[in-house]
Amino acid sequence: GRGIMGKSLEALLSEAEKNLEIDSFSAWVEESNPASANVLKRLGFAHTNIPHKDSRGRTNWDYILEVRK
């Protein structure tokens, strides 16, 4: 890709850190979507190894990013 999602998410996270009292961010990624997982990893999210099933029975993985203060 062209990195549009990564740049957009990076800007969103930056603004949220500045303007909200947040300790961490979390995201779920479908197991079949490694590109989105890679975007999160590049932004510093850590894979928690916690799987979740959505309403359609698909496996999603949890990622978390701790806010540095």
Side-chain angles (χ1 to χ4, degrees), residues 29-53:
V29 177
E30 284 187 26
E31 187 174 46
S32 62
N33 190 352
S36 290
N38 288 334
V39 168
L40 294 174
K41 289 177 192 173
R42 281 194 297 276
L43 292 173
F45 280 76
H47 190 295
T48 65
N49 291 315
I50 300 172
H52 304 276
K53 294 284 186 185

Side-chain angles (χ1 to χ4, degrees), residues 2-48:
R2 296 178 289 182
I4 294 169
M5 181 53 81
K7 291 174 187 170
S8 300
L9 187 53
E10 186 173 33
L12 176 68
L13 294 171
S14 177
E15 286 301 309
E17 282 184 36
K18 285 190 257 180
N19 297 302
L20 302 171
E21 293 184 24
I22 288 181
D23 295 327
S24 64
F25 297 98
S26 64
W28 286 6
V29 177
E30 284 187 26
E31 187 174 46
S32 62
N33 190 352
S36 290
N38 288 334
V39 168
L40 294 174
K41 289 177 192 173
R42 281 194 297 276
L43 292 173
F45 280 76
H47 190 295
T48 65

